[in-house]
Every structure is written in structure tokens, then in C-alpha cells.
Amino acid sequence: MANAEPFRSLSDMIAAHAVAQPEQAALIQDERRISYGALDALMDRVAARLQHSGVKMGDTIAVCAGTSLDYAVLFVGALRAGVAVAPIAPSSTPESIAVMVADCGAKLFFLDAEVADALRGIAIATPTHRLDALDDWLAPVGAKPTPAAIDPAMAFNIIYSSGTTGAPKGIVQSHEMRFQHIMRAQAMGYGPAAVTLLSTPLYSNTTLVSFFPTLGLGGTAVLMKKFEAGAYLDLAQRHRATHTMLVPVQYSRLMARSDFDSYDLSSFQMKFCTSAPFSAALKADVLKRWPGGLVEYFGMT
């Protein structure tokens, strides 16, 4: 059922949080923290640089990199310019990456050092920029983009999925779809007090289905570049995580730890799972030993 609230873009939601709670953490990774005020300013610099580069509203950029705060900033900053984002899995073959960049019609392609190494010798016609040098690419501090009037039907992102037929297919999701999914997330406890711990990659809708409601509703997203069970539990306890999205194998590794019950996870309100079969026995163990609710998602793309 569609939400009764009038459409607002994620960009506008984040701008409102920057006014209402400028010092609240929007993004955290390792020891780096970006407040809503800082995130809003960075989004302006991304959007302004894209516009200066000739990327227009309705165009697409592609990103292929490991999870980082710069990745997150680029993603939401592009949305401010009305530019769709095609996040591509670094685990794809170099040839598949080249095909997806071409297929989505990307005007610019952002990649990190590891992906750049993997793509040596592969022809990519799209101009490329290094995500790990984003500061050098951004528009100057204080830059403001030309405001973009976001139409709800415009493409928000393009998620590539190979399904069971092999060739990756681009799944276009609109700003309206993301708005509705953010609004529905209020029923799952997302809001300014939410702290969402995410250890799955930013190219995956598995992650994005929790990442966007966290930012849209004013919470804090804590990002892990790579999942490791002990590090995950340390972060959950330290940041008093309230929400998380994990795949079944991650739940299995966490619950199998002999020290799992020694961690204080009492802050959790809701946990999510998707992407693979989730056994009844594992679900029961999670519900018994890990505070908060548990929701399994299907068919997100």
C-alpha cells in the first residue's frame, strides 16, 4: 500500500536532518565519522562537481568499489543532482564490469585501487575516477549545485542481478519506490535513534534496503568494509546497534561463536535477513539468544 505522505527525495530528507540535527552522526566507519551537517555539505560538493563535469539530471554514474564512507557520500551526492547510481559488484569478472558500465550508460565510472588493478587491460570507454581520491575530485568547499527537481518516477539506482540466467540485468528502481520503502521502515523502528550496523557491501540491495531508511529517517549507519564475526559483535556492542541486515551465513557464524552470549546486544530492536535459505533452526536460535525482532525479506529487486 502506498504511503499517504507527499513525496520527498532522500536528498531533501538528509538536508532536513542537517538543519534539525547537524552534529548527529550520519555515517561511521572505523574511527571516521560524518555528521549530518557535514554529509549535507559533501553531497552539495558531489552534485556540483557532477554538474560541472557535464553529468545531467537523469544521467547515470557507475561505482565499483569496496564499502567506504566516500562510496556512501558519492552515492547520496549523485542523487542530489538527480543522477542515478549503478553500484557494481567488485567480485564480478573484469569483462562483466565493463559490460555493466556500458549497459547502464554511465557518464562517469568510479572505482577503487583494487578494481583498477583488476581492470588493467580491459577497455572501458567511460571516463574513470578513483573513489579513493574523492577529495581531489570534489567541488571546492562551500560549492552549491544547481537545484535538481526530482521527479518521483526518475531512476534512483540500477541494481545488477544475474538471477538464474547468467547475464547481469539492470533493475531500475525509482525515487518513488525508495521513498515508499523509507516510509514503511518507520514501522520497523527506524528513526533518529536508530543505529544500523551494516557489514554487507554497498553495491547490494541487501544493504541498501537498510542503508537508505537509516539516512532518510535520521539515524546512524555504521559501515564495515568486510565482515568478521568478532569485529561485528564488538561494533554492535560499542555503538549500541539497534538494527542490522545480515545474510544467513553471517548469522550462522555469529551464533556459532562460543563467546556470543557474553556480548551486550540488548540495544537491538530489529534484525533482517535475505539473499539465501534461512533455516528454521538458525532462525529459532537467533530469536532465542539475540534481543529484538527478526524479519526475512524476499524478492527485493
Side-chain angles (χ1 to χ4, degrees):
M1 181 180 294
N3 192 279
E5 292 192 36
F7 170 79
R8 286 173 288 148
S9 69
L10 176 61
S11 172
D12 285 348
M13 292 180 188
I14 293 173
H17 300 319
V19 172
Q21 50 186 36
E23 298 305 317
Q24 171 153 328
L27 298 166
I28 294 174
Q29 187 176 39
D30 300 326
E31 302 309 312
R32 188 180 172 197
R33 172 189 182 277
I34 300 177
S35 69
Y36 271 98
L39 177 59
D40 187 57
L42 285 166
M43 289 168 65
D44 276 347
R45 294 173 68 191
V46 169
R49 186 68 173 88
L50 287 171
Q51 291 173 347
H52 181 74
S53 300
V55 183
K56 298 178 175 61
M57 188 168 64
D59 285 344
T60 301
I61 62 167
V63 190
C64 189
T67 296
S68 68
L69 295 192
D70 287 338
Y71 191 150
V73 166
L74 176 67
F75 203 135
V76 293
L79 296 172
R80 174 156 291 175
V83 173
V85 180
I88 295 172
S91 56
S92 304
T93 66
E95 293 77 12
S96 290
I97 292 171
V99 167
M100 287 183 274
V101 171
D103 179 75
C104 71
K107 300 298 183 182
L108 297 176
F109 177 37
F110 294 83
L111 68 173
D112 61 12
E114 292 178 22
V115 175
D117 285 343
L119 289 178
R120 288 187 190 281
I122 301 293
I124 304 271
T126 305
T128 62
H129 293 282
R130 288 289 288 272
L131 189 60
D132 36 351
L134 190 68
D135 282 348
D136 296 332
W137 174 84
L138 289 171
V141 173
K144 297 287 185 184
T146 301
I150 307 297
D151 186 282
M154 286 171 52
F156 182 107
N157 57 246
I158 303 173
I159 303 290
Y160 276 89
S161 173
S162 58
T164 57
T165 58
K169 295 175 288 294
I171 299 151
V172 181
Q173 296 170 318
S174 69
H175 280 265
E176 175 68 24
M177 174 268 181
R178 288 299 188 190
F179 171 68
Q180 295 297 342
H181 123 226
I182 291 169
M183 291 297 99
R184 285 194 297 271
Q186 294 174 103
M188 299 292 182
Y190 287 101
V195 178
T196 304
L197 179 53
L198 295 170
S199 59
T200 48
L202 279 173
Y203 68 78
S204 172
N205 208 40
T206 294
T207 311
L208 300 180
V209 79
S210 289
F211 177 69
F212 293 131
T214 302
L215 293 183
L217 297 169
T220 301
V222 180
L223 305 179
M224 294 182 74
K225 181 162 186 175
K226 187 175 181 182
F227 174 80
E228 192 282 315
Y232 174 94
L233 291 167
D234 286 339
L235 286 171
Q237 180 172 268
R238 187 199 325 167
H239 292 292
R240 301 293 294 161
T242 61
H243 294 72
T244 197
M245 169 66 86
L246 296 163
V247 297
V249 68
Q250 292 173 313
Y251 280 109
S252 181
R253 289 175 184 170
L254 288 163
M255 305 312 293
R257 284 184 64 95
S258 60
D259 62 349
F260 177 84
D261 295 313
S262 70
Y263 286 89
D264 179 6
L265 305 179
S266 60
S267 55
F268 274 93
Q269 297 178 29
M270 192 64 69
K271 302 171 295 296
F272 304 98
C273 187
T274 189
S275 299
F278 195 14
S279 75
L282 181 55
K283 289 178 190 176
D285 194 28
V286 172
L287 286 167
K288 179 180 179 182
R289 299 167 54 208
W290 193 336
L294 180 63
V295 171
E296 187 174 10
Y297 284 127
F298 295 86
M300 295 189 303
T301 50

